[in-house]
Amino acid sequence: PIGIVFMNRTGHFRFTVADYETFLLFAGLAGAALDRTMLEQHNRELYRASTEVLAAVVDAKDPTTLEHSRHVAFYSRELATLMDLPADDIERIELAGLLHDIGKLGIPDLILRKPGKLTDEEFAIIKTHPDRGARILERHPALGQLIPMVRHHHEAWNGGGYPLGLKADATPLGASIICIADAFDTIVSVRTYQKRRSVDEALQELERCAGTQFHPVMVRRFIDHLNANRSLVFDSETG
């Protein structure tokens, strides 16, 4: 049993048949509402679990980025919360952060794991991963709201990003948030093409690129938040 409905009447009057039928109707409506709530919660849990599985598959494809998706989702949620967004939007941005690199499933391992600088041709292939990710998500009816954020998380504030070269507020808000979170975690992590840099160096790089690569207001809030809460930063060596 989930709960108990208790009815009481003071005085000498007994419940009537009509009272009893009204009670049964109320109890039935309450039970149906509880069932729907539990089903919705179950579906939300399955939805969340499916995105986390997909993200784990992406990270497993390239061991050097293991846990990267989880980190980006966490930082994205922190920044979305700082921007005072509605709870539903915050959750969607977090989930899009988990799946932001799902398009890399279609990128050859030799390119993803290449030590050193990519050629122009190889980088052109890497730049296809946002669109690849969007096409993957199009096959899942429940993930449609995440598509714009996944497709545009590499756009830049000055229009110098990809795939469409969107400028300023033309980029979806969630995509701009994920862009900052993605860049920060990449800078403080070891990659085949770069050494891990310190948190201070990462924040300085975000500051330098405010208003060019990154949304100027968002990145300022993110920098201030992490400066005041260094414990939120993941240790890239331990996850």
Side-chain angles (χ1 to χ4, degrees):
I2 299 173
I4 297 172
V5 178
F6 175 75
M7 295 182 66
N8 185 39
R9 172 174 287 174
T10 60
H12 300 292
F13 298 100
R14 303 182 66 180
F15 288 112
T16 66
V17 172
D19 290 333
Y20 177 66
E21 291 176 348
T22 300
F23 168 74
L24 288 182
L25 176 62
F26 171 77
L29 291 173
L34 285 171
D35 284 342
R36 284 196 300 272
T37 300
M38 293 178 67
L39 179 60
E40 290 172 1
Q41 179 63 29
H42 179 65
N43 287 340
R44 288 171 69 90
E45 290 172 355
L46 288 177
Y47 175 62
R48 175 68 186 232
S50 66
T51 59
E52 291 185 350
V53 168
L54 288 171
V57 171
V58 176
D59 283 349
K61 182 176 173 67
D62 183 1
T64 63
T65 63
L66 196 62
E67 297 294 326
H68 173 64
S69 296
R70 184 169 66 88
H71 295 175
V72 171
F74 174 81
Y75 295 133
S76 296
R77 184 178 185 89
E78 287 289 308
L79 182 49
T81 302
L82 288 174
M83 298 302 296
D84 296 321
L85 298 181
D88 287 347
D89 288 349
I90 292 173
E91 182 177 19
R92 281 191 287 270
I93 290 169
E94 180 185 14
L95 294 178
L98 269 175
L99 298 179
H100 75 286
D101 273 345
I102 192 171
K104 287 186 177 179
L105 291 174
I107 304 297
D109 289 346
L110 288 176
I111 295 178
L112 285 179
R113 303 182 185 184
K114 179 181 178 180
K117 186 177 179 180
L118 298 175
T119 65
D120 290 343
E121 293 78 10
E122 290 167 337
F123 186 57
I125 294 174
I126 284 288
K127 289 168 66 175
T128 66
H129 82 270
D131 272 329
R132 290 174 185 266
R135 289 197 296 272
I136 291 172
L137 296 185
E138 286 171 355
R139 303 175 187 178
H140 195 311
L143 301 179
Q145 292 180 314
L146 309 185
I147 291 173
M149 292 181 278
V150 170
R151 175 172 278 135
H152 297 297
H153 74 276
H154 275 296
E155 304 287 0
W157 183 258
N158 64 2
Y162 59 89
L164 297 184
L166 300 180
K167 293 185 68 174
D169 290 326
T171 301
L173 188 68
S176 295
I177 287 174
I178 294 169
C179 177
I180 296 169
D182 182 26
F184 175 76
D185 189 65
T186 297
I187 294 170
V188 298
S189 301
V190 176
R191 294 290 186 267
T192 55
Y193 53 85
Q194 70 173 32
K195 295 181 179 179
R196 178 169 63 93
R197 286 183 277 175
S198 70
V199 173
D200 285 334
E201 290 174 312
L203 296 180
Q204 289 168 10
E205 181 68 12
L206 295 185
E207 180 75 51
R208 185 181 70 82
C209 296
T212 53
Q213 182 177 354
F214 305 121
H215 190 298
V217 175
M218 289 183 186
V219 78
R220 182 70 262 167
R221 291 193 185 182
F222 187 72
I223 292 169
D224 292 343
H225 184 57
L226 289 191
N227 270 326
N229 301 276
R230 290 300 180 95
S231 62
L232 295 176
V233 179
F234 289 96
D235 184 337
S236 63
E237 295 181 354
T238 64

